[in-house]
Amino acid sequence: MSVTLDEIAEKAGVSRTTVARALNGKTKQAWSSTARRVQRIQKLAEEMGYRRNTAAVATRSRRFGQIGILTRHEMGPIQHNLNKGVFEAASRHDLNVTYAEVEFEGLTDPDYAPKVLRELCVDGLLVHYGWDIPTTIMDLIRGYGIPTVWLNTRETHDCVYPDDRQGSELATQRLIELGHRRILFAFRPNRKRHPFHYSTQDREQGYVDAMTHHGLKPVVVQIDHQPEDYAERITLWRQILEQHDKSTAVVCQNERVAYPLLVAAALLGRSAPADLSVATVLDTGGKGMPVSGITVPLESVGAQAVDMLTERIRNADASIPSIAVPYQSLSRQTIAALNT
Amino acid sequence: MSVTLDEIAEKAGVSRTTVARALNGKTKQAWSSTARRVQRIQKLAEEMGYRRNTAAVATRSRRFGQIGILTRHEMGPIQHNLNKGVFEAASRHDLNVTYAEVEFEGLTDPDYAPKVLRELCVDGLLVHYGWDIPTTIMDLIRGYGIPTVWLNTRETHDCVYPDDRQGSELATQRLIELGHRRILFAFRPNRKRHPFHYSTQDREQGYVDAMTHHGLKPVVVQIDHQPEDYAERITLWRQILEQHDKSTAVVCQNERVAYPLLVAAALLGRSAPADLSVATVLDTGGKGMPVSGITVPLESVGAQAVDMLTERIRNADASIPSIAVPYQSLSRQTIAALNT
DNA sequence: TTGTAGGCGTTATCAC
DNA sequence: GTGATAACGCCTACAA
């Protein structure tokens, strides 16, 4: 069915060992006759459609050539942006990525534990459950003794996350440069979770830092309850904008805040960016509606996490200090210079 | 380092074979003494932290217990919704999922071919490159001889895709039931690709079918060029709405059409759903802004694809007729009964 | 440089 | 019901 080294060896009239060496480039090829033979074997292998059996390699080498990503469905859009970096880095290290979406309940119930944890099949694990992963779950995962790197989680070691404070500061600074002085910060804390996601606090902090640094007064608008109903949500933002009608710009926590805000502004006759500049942190890369935003550097987070993980795999029990990845650029769609 | 059957066997004072049988539940346990021994072994294995080595299992059984997903980054949001079904089904079949994001260029260049293709490591492959995957690429992938199921692709066999015509028909029907008569269909073909995605044609067709079935005149609004600039895009939709100011409802191709439309309507003083009903097919599940939509049944597509794949793996060379998965429900956010 | 032999951890086979 | 033994495909000492 599938071609093995033995089959190639037989056809080439050499031993299995020679074939293996030729295919793995472990022949020095000092003589030209050897070089030619190596070439012939490689060509033969390709013609026969040979493909290395990773399972056999793994039993022998005690390395699976696989890393796992453990995440939950909710992380989806963020995970998607992480993926690009993860796969780029993984293919650089010649690693396969085993991807598992498992909710918390699935982790705690031993019968539903994912295969990546239950069985020996990956060299290391990228865990992406966000900031609010319970300690019990972290310990549970640690208990499996697999080298692990945590994404979007903040501990002193083995974590990689975006530098949210700096990102929000950058966005605010850009608006100030454009001449804006009355700038709001709008956010909606996720009340379902215990304290806020640290990124919420950080984004607010970055805004406040930028404002106070320029001697401006920060004004933070917080929505305690964001209605699920479309019309209600728009109304709510409309009221807020009416309250703060002197403001010329808004920095939003994320695009879920920015979108209804843009509609509400339009209903008040304020069209972005001419009448109102709206900048936001783009959790999901802003694929939906074009808004001026500063994109969370998730691709870089993913790539650096894989690099960190390979490091941890190589050196099984040495923790690595966590990394805060800086934000880079701001796109221009819904912000403009203040027209005085 | 990791516990093996031999280590458990030694500690339990039995043979490796007995341990394997006990852990794999292959003992009939006719006698109570045997049952007790089995229990003791299972407990011992758990205490010692035993985890099956999947690589060893795979070399022996010639099954990797893995399926691969081959996709490209662009498919992200759709892939995300597929994932839920895929992982649910995969864990049901006790399969790991190896996930690879590879662009077309990576596939054609043999040096960059993904590990899932280059090496023997999966039992089957889910390929999700969408409708416009070139024949050369399909043949290239088929050339590897791995059992494959194609997602969101339309061939007579081995494909699973959503029934877009039926979905769009359902959404239109709902608006008609609510009393609407002048209903637009708005879409923006993706000019980058050669013909349209079949789903574009199908969604239009479903709308037309529903309208003509009720003796109504279908009006299709097509935007040839959707500007990247936010303000321009809004203006364009505003003009279209002004042209069709008698229309009371719009069916949109997807949310990328619906969002700017809602803003444009607001600028014209028409607030959804009171003054304009907007329904859309939700490619990405509508996580951004709440819009009335009918969600593409991607979760179901994913699950059925995995089921089909296991079937193909079991029966290596028997193609299976393709499946069109029906749409289900319509959420209510931006549609309302026509007020006469 | 090549080939032989042995082992990785598991499962299947077959005597006992 | 149990346990020795032989595979699975690959890699690596070590001897030739």
mmCIF file of all heavy atoms in Angstrom, chain B residues 100-130:
data_model
loop_
_atom_site.group_PDB
_atom_site.id
_atom_site.type_symbol
_atom_site.label_atom_id
_atom_site.label_comp_id
_atom_site.label_asym_id
_atom_site.label_seq_id
_atom_site.Cartn_x
_atom_site.Cartn_y
_atom_site.Cartn_z
ATOM 1 N N ALA B 100 -3.788 22.434 8.989
ATOM 2 C CA ALA B 100 -2.724 23.099 8.243
ATOM 3 C C ALA B 100 -3.289 24.197 7.367
ATOM 4 O O ALA B 100 -4.197 23.965 6.577
ATOM 5 C CB ALA B 100 -1.955 22.098 7.407
ATOM 6 N N GLU B 101 -2.773 25.406 7.536
ATOM 7 C CA GLU B 101 -3.151 26.528 6.695
ATOM 8 C C GLU B 101 -2.053 26.699 5.658
ATOM 9 O O GLU B 101 -0.934 27.085 5.985
ATOM 10 C CB GLU B 101 -3.235 27.800 7.534
ATOM 11 C CG GLU B 101 -4.639 28.248 7.810
ATOM 12 C CD GLU B 101 -4.679 29.493 8.677
ATOM 13 O OE1 GLU B 101 -3.718 30.277 8.650
ATOM 14 O OE2 GLU B 101 -5.673 29.659 9.408
ATOM 15 N N VAL B 102 -2.359 26.389 4.430
ATOM 16 C CA VAL B 102 -1.357 26.505 3.378
ATOM 17 C C VAL B 102 -1.985 27.190 2.167
ATOM 18 O O VAL B 102 -3.065 26.814 1.731
ATOM 19 C CB VAL B 102 -0.840 25.115 2.947
ATOM 20 C CG1 VAL B 102 0.321 25.253 1.977
ATOM 21 C CG2 VAL B 102 -0.430 24.302 4.161
ATOM 22 N N GLU B 103 -1.318 28.194 1.642
ATOM 23 C CA GLU B 103 -1.815 28.885 0.444
ATOM 24 C C GLU B 103 -1.533 28.016 -0.782
ATOM 25 O O GLU B 103 -0.744 27.079 -0.722
ATOM 26 C CB GLU B 103 -1.133 30.251 0.292
ATOM 27 C CG GLU B 103 -1.184 31.109 1.546
ATOM 28 C CD GLU B 103 -2.615 31.345 2.041
ATOM 29 O OE1 GLU B 103 -3.472 31.698 1.230
ATOM 30 O OE2 GLU B 103 -2.870 31.149 3.242
ATOM 31 N N PHE B 104 -2.157 28.345 -1.894
ATOM 32 C CA PHE B 104 -1.966 27.575 -3.125
ATOM 33 C C PHE B 104 -0.489 27.443 -3.484
ATOM 34 O O PHE B 104 -0.013 26.368 -3.848
ATOM 35 C CB PHE B 104 -2.696 28.249 -4.291
ATOM 36 C CG PHE B 104 -4.180 28.030 -4.263
ATOM 37 C CD1 PHE B 104 -5.043 29.012 -4.716
ATOM 38 C CD2 PHE B 104 -4.712 26.835 -3.790
ATOM 39 C CE1 PHE B 104 -6.409 28.805 -4.699
ATOM 40 C CE2 PHE B 104 -6.081 26.624 -3.770
ATOM 41 C CZ PHE B 104 -6.928 27.614 -4.223
ATOM 42 N N GLU B 105 0.234 28.550 -3.356
ATOM 43 C CA GLU B 105 1.645 28.528 -3.739
ATOM 44 C C GLU B 105 2.403 27.475 -2.933
ATOM 45 O O GLU B 105 3.296 26.805 -3.432
ATOM 46 C CB GLU B 105 2.298 29.885 -3.490
ATOM 47 C CG GLU B 105 1.605 31.043 -4.186
ATOM 48 C CD GLU B 105 0.405 31.536 -3.402
ATOM 49 O OE1 GLU B 105 0.567 31.963 -2.256
ATOM 50 O OE2 GLU B 105 -0.724 31.448 -3.935
ATOM 51 N N GLY B 106 2.048 27.364 -1.653
ATOM 52 C CA GLY B 106 2.714 26.389 -0.801
ATOM 53 C C GLY B 106 2.451 24.965 -1.261
ATOM 54 O O GLY B 106 3.259 24.067 -1.050
ATOM 55 N N LEU B 107 1.306 24.755 -1.895
ATOM 56 C CA LEU B 107 0.962 23.404 -2.333
ATOM 57 C C LEU B 107 1.725 23.010 -3.599
ATOM 58 O O LEU B 107 2.156 21.873 -3.750
ATOM 59 C CB LEU B 107 -0.540 23.307 -2.606
ATOM 60 C CG LEU B 107 -1.441 23.387 -1.383
ATOM 61 C CD1 LEU B 107 -2.899 23.397 -1.818
ATOM 62 C CD2 LEU B 107 -1.190 22.208 -0.462
ATOM 63 N N THR B 108 1.854 23.980 -4.499
ATOM 64 C CA THR B 108 2.478 23.651 -5.777
ATOM 65 C C THR B 108 3.990 23.508 -5.658
ATOM 66 O O THR B 108 4.590 22.712 -6.365
ATOM 67 C CB THR B 108 2.151 24.743 -6.816
ATOM 68 O OG1 THR B 108 2.299 26.028 -6.195
ATOM 69 C CG2 THR B 108 0.722 24.607 -7.301
ATOM 70 N N ASP B 109 4.584 24.256 -4.774
ATOM 71 C CA ASP B 109 6.025 24.156 -4.583
ATOM 72 C C ASP B 109 6.349 22.959 -3.688
ATOM 73 O O ASP B 109 6.023 22.959 -2.505
ATOM 74 C CB ASP B 109 6.524 25.452 -3.928
ATOM 75 C CG ASP B 109 8.040 25.482 -3.830
ATOM 76 O OD1 ASP B 109 8.649 24.402 -3.866
ATOM 77 O OD2 ASP B 109 8.600 26.585 -3.731
ATOM 78 N N PRO B 110 6.992 21.935 -4.263
ATOM 79 C CA PRO B 110 7.231 20.706 -3.483
ATOM 80 C C PRO B 110 8.062 20.948 -2.219
ATOM 81 O O PRO B 110 7.951 20.197 -1.255
ATOM 82 C CB PRO B 110 7.972 19.793 -4.466
ATOM 83 C CG PRO B 110 8.427 20.681 -5.585
ATOM 84 C CD PRO B 110 7.496 21.835 -5.627
ATOM 85 N N ASP B 111 8.886 22.005 -2.229
ATOM 86 C CA ASP B 111 9.702 22.274 -1.046
ATOM 87 C C ASP B 111 8.855 22.775 0.116
ATOM 88 O O ASP B 111 9.231 22.650 1.272
ATOM 89 C CB ASP B 111 10.775 23.318 -1.366
ATOM 90 C CG ASP B 111 11.823 22.757 -2.309
ATOM 91 O OD1 ASP B 111 11.864 21.514 -2.447
ATOM 92 O OD2 ASP B 111 12.560 23.554 -2.907
ATOM 93 N N TYR B 112 7.711 23.371 -0.208
ATOM 94 C CA TYR B 112 6.892 23.947 0.845
ATOM 95 C C TYR B 112 5.641 23.116 1.139
ATOM 96 O O TYR B 112 4.809 23.536 1.923
ATOM 97 C CB TYR B 112 6.491 25.382 0.492
ATOM 98 C CG TYR B 112 7.625 26.338 0.666
ATOM 99 C CD1 TYR B 112 8.467 26.655 -0.392
ATOM 100 C CD2 TYR B 112 7.882 26.898 1.910
ATOM 101 C CE1 TYR B 112 9.529 27.528 -0.223
ATOM 102 C CE2 TYR B 112 8.931 27.764 2.090
ATOM 103 C CZ TYR B 112 9.753 28.075 1.010
ATOM 104 O OH TYR B 112 10.803 28.933 1.194
ATOM 105 N N ALA B 113 5.506 21.997 0.443
ATOM 106 C CA ALA B 113 4.325 21.167 0.656
ATOM 107 C C ALA B 113 4.164 20.893 2.150
ATOM 108 O O ALA B 113 5.143 20.664 2.851
ATOM 109 C CB ALA B 113 4.440 19.864 -0.111
ATOM 110 N N PRO B 114 2.951 20.938 2.635
ATOM 111 C CA PRO B 114 2.740 20.749 4.067
ATOM 112 C C PRO B 114 3.053 19.313 4.474
ATOM 113 O O PRO B 114 2.951 18.390 3.678
ATOM 114 C CB PRO B 114 1.255 21.050 4.245
ATOM 115 C CG PRO B 114 0.658 20.784 2.917
ATOM 116 C CD PRO B 114 1.696 21.126 1.914
ATOM 117 N N LYS B 115 3.421 19.210 5.723
ATOM 118 C CA LYS B 115 3.813 17.915 6.263
ATOM 119 C C LYS B 115 2.714 16.871 6.094
ATOM 120 O O LYS B 115 3.009 15.709 5.843
ATOM 121 C CB LYS B 115 4.137 18.103 7.747
ATOM 122 C CG LYS B 115 5.188 17.155 8.262
ATOM 123 C CD LYS B 115 5.574 17.492 9.699
ATOM 124 C CE LYS B 115 6.196 16.276 10.343
ATOM 125 N NZ LYS B 115 7.129 16.566 11.420
ATOM 126 N N VAL B 116 1.460 17.263 6.233
ATOM 127 C CA VAL B 116 0.357 16.298 6.102
ATOM 128 C C VAL B 116 0.352 15.613 4.748
ATOM 129 O O VAL B 116 -0.105 14.484 4.618
ATOM 130 C CB VAL B 116 -1.038 16.922 6.320
ATOM 131 C CG1 VAL B 116 -1.403 16.926 7.773
ATOM 132 C CG2 VAL B 116 -1.136 18.277 5.695
ATOM 133 N N LEU B 117 0.828 16.314 3.721
ATOM 134 C CA LEU B 117 0.887 15.699 2.400
ATOM 135 C C LEU B 117 2.228 15.001 2.191
ATOM 136 O O LEU B 117 2.299 13.893 1.679
ATOM 137 C CB LEU B 117 0.696 16.753 1.311
ATOM 138 C CG LEU B 117 -0.689 17.383 1.187
ATOM 139 C CD1 LEU B 117 -0.696 18.437 0.102
ATOM 140 C CD2 LEU B 117 -1.732 16.317 0.897
ATOM 141 N N ARG B 118 3.284 15.672 2.597
ATOM 142 C CA ARG B 118 4.647 15.212 2.329
ATOM 143 C C ARG B 118 4.943 13.919 3.057
ATOM 144 O O ARG B 118 5.687 13.080 2.572
ATOM 145 C CB ARG B 118 5.605 16.296 2.800
ATOM 146 C CG ARG B 118 6.675 16.671 1.829
ATOM 147 C CD ARG B 118 7.470 17.820 2.391
ATOM 148 N NE ARG B 118 7.753 17.649 3.801
ATOM 149 C CZ ARG B 118 7.571 18.570 4.741
ATOM 150 N NH1 ARG B 118 7.080 19.737 4.423
ATOM 151 N NH2 ARG B 118 7.874 18.327 6.002
ATOM 152 N N GLU B 119 4.429 13.790 4.252
ATOM 153 C CA GLU B 119 4.746 12.616 5.052
ATOM 154 C C GLU B 119 3.471 11.842 5.371
ATOM 155 O O GLU B 119 2.368 12.363 5.268
ATOM 156 C CB GLU B 119 5.454 13.042 6.336
ATOM 157 C CG GLU B 119 6.701 13.859 6.050
ATOM 158 C CD GLU B 119 7.564 14.056 7.289
ATOM 159 O OE1 GLU B 119 7.037 13.945 8.413
ATOM 160 O OE2 GLU B 119 8.773 14.309 7.122
ATOM 161 N N LEU B 120 3.650 10.626 5.784
ATOM 162 C CA LEU B 120 2.536 9.762 6.157
ATOM 163 C C LEU B 120 2.160 10.070 7.607
ATOM 164 O O LEU B 120 2.903 9.699 8.529
ATOM 165 C CB LEU B 120 2.997 8.313 6.045
ATOM 166 C CG LEU B 120 2.304 7.362 5.081
ATOM 167 C CD1 LEU B 120 1.972 8.044 3.774
ATOM 168 C CD2 LEU B 120 3.182 6.155 4.856
ATOM 169 N N CYS B 121 1.051 10.744 7.824
ATOM 170 C CA CYS B 121 0.714 11.061 9.210
ATOM 171 C C CYS B 121 -0.777 11.198 9.473
ATOM 172 O O CYS B 121 -1.193 11.383 10.602
ATOM 173 C CB CYS B 121 1.441 12.310 9.687
ATOM 174 S SG CYS B 121 1.159 13.749 8.684
ATOM 175 N N VAL B 122 -1.601 11.140 8.428
ATOM 176 C CA VAL B 122 -3.044 11.212 8.650
ATOM 177 C C VAL B 122 -3.744 10.096 7.876
ATOM 178 O O VAL B 122 -3.232 9.607 6.875
ATOM 179 C CB VAL B 122 -3.638 12.567 8.205
ATOM 180 C CG1 VAL B 122 -3.119 13.702 9.061
ATOM 181 C CG2 VAL B 122 -3.345 12.821 6.739
ATOM 182 N N ASP B 123 -4.906 9.714 8.377
ATOM 183 C CA ASP B 123 -5.680 8.662 7.708
ATOM 184 C C ASP B 123 -6.532 9.232 6.590
ATOM 185 O O ASP B 123 -6.927 8.507 5.680
ATOM 186 C CB ASP B 123 -6.582 7.961 8.722
ATOM 187 C CG ASP B 123 -5.783 7.340 9.837
ATOM 188 O OD1 ASP B 123 -4.732 6.747 9.537
ATOM 189 O OD2 ASP B 123 -6.192 7.458 11.004
ATOM 190 N N GLY B 124 -6.822 10.519 6.688
ATOM 191 C CA GLY B 124 -7.673 11.131 5.677
ATOM 192 C C GLY B 124 -7.551 12.634 5.741
ATOM 193 O O GLY B 124 -6.963 13.178 6.678
ATOM 194 N N LEU B 125 -8.139 13.290 4.754
ATOM 195 C CA LEU B 125 -7.938 14.715 4.621
ATOM 196 C C LEU B 125 -9.266 15.421 4.353
ATOM 197 O O LEU B 125 -10.052 14.987 3.515
ATOM 198 C CB LEU B 125 -6.993 14.948 3.442
ATOM 199 C CG LEU B 125 -5.957 16.053 3.525
ATOM 200 C CD1 LEU B 125 -5.201 16.003 4.828
ATOM 201 C CD2 LEU B 125 -5.004 15.923 2.345
ATOM 202 N N LEU B 126 -9.482 16.522 5.079
ATOM 203 C CA LEU B 126 -10.580 17.432 4.778
ATOM 204 C C LEU B 126 -9.960 18.618 4.063
ATOM 205 O O LEU B 126 -9.089 19.288 4.627
ATOM 206 C CB LEU B 126 -11.214 17.901 6.086
ATOM 207 C CG LEU B 126 -12.597 17.436 6.492
ATOM 208 C CD1 LEU B 126 -12.851 16.013 6.102
ATOM 209 C CD2 LEU B 126 -12.790 17.626 7.982
ATOM 210 N N VAL B 127 -10.368 18.878 2.847
ATOM 211 C CA VAL B 127 -9.774 19.994 2.123
ATOM 212 C C VAL B 127 -10.787 21.121 1.997
ATOM 213 O O VAL B 127 -11.889 20.917 1.494
ATOM 214 C CB VAL B 127 -9.284 19.565 0.731
ATOM 215 C CG1 VAL B 127 -8.685 20.755 0.000
ATOM 216 C CG2 VAL B 127 -8.249 18.462 0.860
ATOM 217 N N HIS B 128 -10.408 22.279 2.478
ATOM 218 C CA HIS B 128 -11.318 23.419 2.461
ATOM 219 C C HIS B 128 -10.649 24.627 1.816
ATOM 220 O O HIS B 128 -10.064 25.472 2.487
ATOM 221 C CB HIS B 128 -11.760 23.752 3.888
ATOM 222 C CG HIS B 128 -12.704 24.905 3.947
ATOM 223 N ND1 HIS B 128 -12.732 25.793 4.985
ATOM 224 C CD2 HIS B 128 -13.656 25.314 3.084
ATOM 225 C CE1 HIS B 128 -13.663 26.707 4.762
ATOM 226 N NE2 HIS B 128 -14.229 26.446 3.622
ATOM 227 N N TYR B 129 -10.698 24.654 0.484
ATOM 228 C CA TYR B 129 -10.167 25.801 -0.240
ATOM 229 C C TYR B 129 -11.297 26.539 -0.942
ATOM 230 O O TYR B 129 -11.045 27.408 -1.753
ATOM 231 C CB TYR B 129 -9.107 25.363 -1.250
ATOM 232 C CG TYR B 129 -7.761 25.136 -0.611
ATOM 233 C CD1 TYR B 129 -7.411 23.896 -0.113
ATOM 234 C CD2 TYR B 129 -6.867 26.183 -0.483
ATOM 235 C CE1 TYR B 129 -6.189 23.701 0.482
ATOM 236 C CE2 TYR B 129 -5.639 25.995 0.108
ATOM 237 C CZ TYR B 129 -5.300 24.756 0.596
ATOM 238 O OH TYR B 129 -4.095 24.562 1.199
ATOM 239 N N GLY B 130 -12.526 26.164 -0.655
ATOM 240 C CA GLY B 130 -13.648 26.841 -1.268
ATOM 241 C C GLY B 130 -13.910 26.365 -2.676
ATOM 242 O O GLY B 130 -13.292 25.418 -3.150
#
